[in-house]
Amino acid sequence: MIIKIRPESFGYIAFDKRSRKHRFVTTDLPASTLARQDMLTQVGKIFDCTDEDIQLEFVGDKVRQRLSAPLCLYLEITRYCTLRCNHCYKPEDPLSQAMDLDDFTKLLKDARDMGIFEVRLCGNEPTISPIFFEVCQQIQNLGLFLSINTSGIMNARTRRRLIDIRPDHVVVSVDGNQATHDAIRKPGAYAQAVELLHALQEANIQRRINCVISGLTMNHMDEVIALAKEVGCGISFIPLRTMGRSTEFKDEFALTPKSMYQAVSHITAQKQAVPEVPLETFFDILGNGFWAHHTMEINIPCPAGKNGFVSADGTFYPCDWLRYMEGRFACGNVRQSSLAEIWEKSTTLQAFRQIVRKKCLDCTHYLKTCYGGCWCSYQESMDCGEYEDKLCFAPLISAGKMPITAGG
């Protein structure tokens, strides 16, 4: 097994491509000075394998303050989509100055040289981009972990080609059962998503379901869990966010702190009932066995602090949702500056990293079982320097209005 090692100021990050897991290792000495055998022993304990099974591959060349590079780079390779989903925050907004294949080639080489582990292709719908498969091949040729977000809406030829290139990880959107999914997307969309999941399972390609929790779908989460069990994958339950494109659906089915609590409480109970299906939510404060991809402290001021998003025109944002904050969080353009230069020197990105979530500081869950939620969901409606996720239900628990136990 190949484990990628990236030196950091605290020690190093170890990335296992097979499981798509990052592990943060704190060391007294810089990673570059550690004896190779000592590092092999450490990594073997972390991933439960013997030294003989491990091949270390070192990436990145500098140690900087905070993370030296994003863990994952999200690339929007098209603004087109075959759907117009009721809950989608993205307008179909084709850009006249969209990046071309040469731009992506340069960007991906920068990502490789920085030591970025994963590149996630997204869109609107990435698979309809005319350069989708060329970009996939470049990512794979550079030794980067290739992951893809998709609705699953594609013809049989594209589905076969997708399976044939064997991406490392494919995330398929499934929102509730067939009736709710098709009502949100279009008739027949559910069947195509399920067909792709089965094809990925048959090809033994790592896969996951993304499910948006809304007032329409929250009573059908068990059906999504049953599907995940059937196709052998986990689920990331994502709360409906109301920024971006306005729709009547969002007005009708938006979540509240109480309904978010009810959804998370049910999901937490299902983690115990169906342990073979990995389940994630944005607020895992009700369970005893919190699991995260990484140490909570790097989520500064939110998970956008560990990743990066490049829009179809080359603009870098800490995350996609921050694009809708009237350009306040545009950190630079990768066609004009290198990705490393933006990550290190962007004053906008530096200011973003310094944001303090004042209302979270006194919360007993903060940076223990909760990173504070979505910062931009608060900023979309209240332009102030404080922070509170509009779906946070911790105050309901503190006030005794909701129990802290799952299923309550």
Side-chain angles (χ1 to χ4, degrees):
M1 61 186 296
I2 297 176
I3 303 294
K4 292 191 174 184
I5 302 294
R6 193 174 82 194
E8 298 287 350
S9 58
F10 52 80
Y12 62 90
I13 301 174
F15 175 68
D16 176 17
K17 182 176 179 178
R18 299 180 311 167
S19 62
R20 191 176 166 262
K21 290 183 178 179
H22 310 87
R23 291 294 180 262
F24 288 66
V25 182
T26 302
T27 60
D28 294 329
L29 297 173
S32 59
T33 66
L34 291 176
R36 189 176 185 85
Q37 185 57 47
D38 291 342
M39 186 173 287
L40 281 169
T41 301
Q42 287 179 341
V43 171
K45 291 179 179 178
I46 292 169
F47 293 107
D48 192 25
C49 56
T50 64
D51 298 359
E52 292 77 15
D53 295 330
I54 302 169
Q55 178 182 341
L56 299 180
E57 180 180 324
F58 290 83
V59 298
D61 61 350
K62 297 179 181 178
V63 175
R64 308 172 183 92
Q65 189 178 14
R66 298 196 187 281
L67 292 185
S68 63
L71 299 179
C72 176
L73 186 66
Y74 288 75
L75 295 189
E76 179 185 70
I77 64 172
T78 181
R79 295 299 300 275
Y80 287 99
C81 190
T82 53
L83 301 174
R84 191 166 176 80
C85 303
N86 292 328
H87 61 212
C88 184
Y89 57 95
K90 291 188 173 189
E92 187 178 47
D93 181 26
L95 301 172
S96 59
Q97 297 298 318
M99 293 173 63
D100 59 23
L101 189 57
D102 289 340
D103 294 322
F104 282 112
T105 299
K106 175 182 177 296
L107 174 60
L108 291 170
K109 288 179 178 178
D110 285 349
R112 186 270 315 274
D113 293 344
M114 288 177 70
I116 291 173
F117 298 116
E118 175 181 357
V119 175
R120 174 76 59 85
L121 296 184
C122 53
N124 295 28
E125 172 54 49
T127 61
I128 66 174
S129 167
I131 59 173
F132 171 72
F133 287 104
E134 288 88 347
V135 173
C136 287
Q137 184 176 16
Q138 290 196 9
I139 293 169
Q140 292 176 317
N141 289 345
L142 290 169
L144 296 163
F145 186 97
L146 170 61
S147 58
I148 299 164
N149 282 359
T150 179
S151 66
I153 303 296
M154 60 187 72
N155 58 38
R157 180 175 180 271
T158 299
R159 185 165 50 250
R160 285 194 299 271
R161 287 190 69 187
L162 179 63
I163 297 300
D164 288 344
I165 67 171
R166 300 200 60 80
D168 295 297
H169 187 70
V170 179
V171 181
V172 183
S173 298
V174 176
D175 298 311
N177 60 15
Q178 181 173 351
T180 59
H181 184 92
D182 286 356
I184 291 169
R185 297 176 182 273
K186 73 173 186 179
Y190 181 86
Q192 289 200 52
V194 172
E195 185 174 5
L196 176 59
L197 284 165
H198 279 293
L200 294 167
Q201 180 186 32
E202 184 177 349
N204 196 28
I205 294 173
Q206 193 178 136
R207 57 214 169 271
R208 190 183 79 216
I209 290 172
N210 273 5
C211 176
V212 176
I213 308 172
S214 68
L216 181 64
T217 62
M218 66 179 297
N219 291 327
H220 301 284
M221 293 186 292
D222 286 354
E223 290 159 275
V224 184
I225 294 172
L227 173 62
K229 184 177 180 180
E230 176 185 322
V231 299
C233 71
I235 309 171
S236 180
F237 286 102
I238 304 168
L240 173 66
R241 299 294 186 180
T242 56
M243 73 280 291
R245 182 167 64 92
S246 297
T247 66
E248 293 181 0
F249 179 92
K250 294 179 182 178
D251 295 335
E252 182 177 358
F253 295 111
L255 298 172
T256 65
K258 182 177 179 179
S259 59
M260 189 66 199
Y261 168 86
Q262 293 168 338
V264 173
S265 178
H266 183 76
I267 293 166
T268 304
Q270 289 299 94
K271 289 181 181 181
Q272 303 298 320
V274 195
E276 63 271 32
V277 179
L279 304 176
E280 304 174 26
T281 74
F282 274 59
F283 298 93
D284 288 333
I285 68 176
L286 301 180
N288 296 322
F290 176 77
W291 176 87
H293 293 290
H294 43 71
T295 57
M296 299 291 276
E297 288 76 7
I298 70 165
N299 290 308
I300 300 173
C302 65
K306 64 184 173 65
N307 296 321
F309 171 83
V310 176
S311 68
D313 70 345
T315 305
F316 182 98
Y317 297 90
C319 87
D320 189 3
W321 282 334
L322 286 169
R323 185 203 317 207
Y324 302 99
M325 301 293 106
E326 299 177 350
R328 284 182 292 165
F329 298 102
C331 299
N333 193 291
V334 297
R335 295 196 294 183
Q336 300 163 1
S337 304
S338 71
L339 182 60
E341 183 178 1
I342 293 173
W343 185 257
E344 293 177 37
K345 298 180 181 180
S346 167
T347 55
T348 302
L349 190 55
Q350 290 172 9
F352 178 76
R353 291 167 177 155
Q354 298 303 315
I355 292 172
V356 176
R357 297 171 288 187
K358 297 178 181 178
K359 290 190 177 182
C360 292
L361 295 178
D362 296 328
C363 179
T364 57
H365 305 289
Y366 183 52
L367 294 186
K368 297 181 177 66
T369 56
C370 178
Y371 53 72
C374 179
W375 183 80
C376 61
S377 76
Y378 181 60
Q379 286 293 301
E380 69 164 330
S381 59
M382 297 187 67
D383 187 15
C384 68
E386 293 190 350
Y387 172 91
E388 184 179 42
D389 192 306
K390 294 190 298 182
L391 298 181
C392 176
F393 52 78
L396 297 178
I397 296 173
S398 300
K401 296 180 181 179
M402 296 291 176
I404 188 65
T405 55

